[in-house]
Amino acid sequence: GESVGLHLPTLSVQEGDNSIINCAYSNSASDYFIWYKQESGKGPQFIIDIRSNMDKRQGQRVTVLLNKTVKHLSLQIAATQPGDSAVYFCAESHILTGGGNKLTFGTGTQLKVEL
Amino acid sequence: ETGVTQTPRHLVMGMTNKKSLKCEQHLGHNAMYWYKQSAKKPLELMFVYSLEERVENNSVPSRFSPECPNSSHLFLHLHTLQPEDSALYLCASSQTEVETQYFGPGTRLLVL
């Protein structure tokens, strides 16, 4: 069955260091993955996505790596800032027959940035 | 701020009350979604509407009743809820051919 899980519930990093948040998925047929950031009192915010035909995708200060062999995703945040403190979720997407898509989320990793 | 708004932001209701949650998207999308987010649990998909037709009901109890009158608006009608229904209810929208979903800020619901 499909499931998405995260390796660590909490990650603490020093300001300026790089952060790496990991995610495992179980459905080898999954084709599209998204990382979201959720700050306290807000809804999830899109960060970056990647399709299964790619191994790596870069955004502004963020990089997502996809290892299809071991069904593993990671989100790398460069030069972590206090504003990066949030819960980070990975999600895998499946297209629905009638339109739209279903996102299956992991439980999330709380990133804490220490000054 | 995202182009998806939700009202109210906070709601307290008794188990015998009837209330409605509202979601509006200003992104020109044609698919809308309801999710439930409980403490220490993954976001759970509840309902999916595509082109104003319901295409997914993820085994949600009938005390939750969705309505999508047009592609910009989505409602979640609530009646005779239970305390375990207390959670953050999130609305999202997307273009049907694009899988990225954009979320609203959520409605924090407390059922007493």
Side-chain angles (χ1 to χ4, degrees):
Chain A
E2 57 180 320
S3 67
V4 181
L6 292 166
H7 292 307
L8 294 173
T10 303
L11 175 66
S12 294
V13 298
Q14 292 290 120
E15 181 181 5
D17 287 351
N18 297 334
S19 302
I20 300 176
I21 300 171
N22 296 303
C23 179
Y25 65 94
S26 61
N27 188 346
S28 57
S30 295
D31 176 56
Y32 178 67
F33 304 87
I34 309 175
W35 281 99
Y36 285 93
K37 171 187 180 183
Q38 187 173 24
E39 297 174 272
S40 180
K42 297 184 178 180
Q45 176 187 359
F46 171 85
I47 302 174
I48 193 167
D49 57 1
I50 190 166
R51 288 226 168 260
S52 60
N53 61 352
M54 303 173 71
D55 297 323
K56 179 180 180 179
R57 190 156 190 229
Q58 289 184 291
Q60 188 176 14
R61 280 201 309 119
V62 294
T63 301
V64 54
L65 299 178
L66 176 62
N67 185 329
K68 294 179 286 292
T69 302
V70 295
K71 292 183 284 190
H72 182 269
L73 275 169
S74 67
L75 177 70
Q76 300 179 2
I77 305 173
T80 311
Q81 302 169 358
D84 295 325
S85 294
V87 178
Y88 289 81
F89 296 94
C90 65
E92 58 181 308
S93 173
H94 295 280
I95 296 288
L96 296 171
T97 303
N101 61 302
K102 177 176 181 177
L103 293 180
T104 301
F105 285 83
T107 51
T109 293
Q110 173 77 57
L111 176 65
K112 296 183 178 179
V113 181
E114 299 171 347
L115 303 177
Chain B
E1 292 298 317
T2 69
V4 182
T5 58
Q6 291 187 242
T7 54
R9 293 294 310 276
H10 301 272
L11 178 63
V12 180
M13 60 186 290
M15 289 189 283
T16 59
N17 291 159
K18 291 184 180 181
K19 297 286 184 183
S20 296
L21 310 185
K22 179 183 177 182
C23 175
E24 183 173 1
Q25 59 94 4
H26 311 273
L27 301 170
H29 291 163
N30 53 18
M32 297 187 77
Y33 310 79
W34 281 115
Y35 287 85
K36 176 183 179 181
Q37 186 175 33
S38 305
K40 303 200 184 295
K41 292 178 67 176
L43 275 79
E44 303 171 63
L45 180 65
M46 300 175 71
F47 300 104
V48 180
Y49 276 83
S50 175
L51 301 173
E52 301 157 40
E53 295 292 323
R54 192 191 310 180
V55 298
E56 180 88 353
N57 177 341
N58 216 28
S59 303
V60 179
S62 59
R63 57 185 183 269
F64 295 91
S65 176
E67 179 189 3
C68 187
N70 55 62
S71 60
S72 298
H73 293 86
L74 184 66
F75 294 88
L76 187 63
H77 303 299
L78 316 172
H79 66 97
T80 59
L81 294 192
Q82 304 298 310
E84 59 265 29
D85 296 322
S86 299
L88 181 68
Y89 288 85
L90 290 159
C91 173
S93 71
S94 73
Q95 279 295 120
T96 53
E97 62 274 20
V98 179
E99 295 173 74
T100 308
Q101 294 180 17
Y102 294 89
F103 285 81
T107 294
R108 176 70 63 186
L109 173 66
L110 177 61
V111 182
L112 300 176

